[in-house]
Amino acid sequence: DEMELKVNQDRWLGGGVGVVSCPVNARISPENAGGKGSKTTETIMMGENGFIKLFSPDKCEECGTCQMFCPTDAIWLE
C-alpha cells in the first residue's frame, strides 16, 4: 500500500524541522539541510510565508523522517 504525505497547516508553527530533516529535500536542495530554506520548488515540501506547502509529494520515499522530527505532528504519513 502506498502511503500519502499529509500536512496540517493549523499545527505547523513554522519551525521547519521536518522540512529540513527530509533526506530527499536535502539531496534536491543542499542549502535546505543547513536550515536556510529551499531555493527551489523541486523539493517535496517547503515552508513559505508561514505556510507549509507540498510541492512534489510524489518524490516522497516514505521514510518517516519528517514525521519523526516534527515536534507538532504537522507532517505525517498516512
Side-chain angles (χ1 to χ4, degrees):
D1 262 5
E2 200 154 301
M3 305 279 282
E4 194 180 341
L5 191 64
K6 304 265 190 179
V7 293
N8 182 330
Q9 183 57 52
D10 295 335
R11 287 191 192 151
W12 196 66
L13 300 178
V17 181
V19 178
V20 170
S21 68
C22 172
V24 180
N25 274 1
R27 278 202 304 275
I28 297 167
S29 180
E31 68 277 2
N32 189 48
K36 301 273 190 286
S38 176
K39 303 282 185 279
T40 172
T41 54
E42 293 299 304
T43 52
I44 295 174
M45 58 199 155
M46 192 161 110
E48 197 175 66
N49 303 326
F51 290 95
I52 186 165
K53 297 180 182 172
L54 287 175
F55 287 103
S56 308
D58 53 304
K59 293 180 184 171
C60 175
E61 294 175 354
E62 298 166 17
C63 69
T65 304
C66 61
Q67 183 174 344
M68 201 164 55
F69 278 92
C70 180
T72 60
D73 298 319
I75 311 168
W76 73 97
L77 288 163
E78 197 170 87

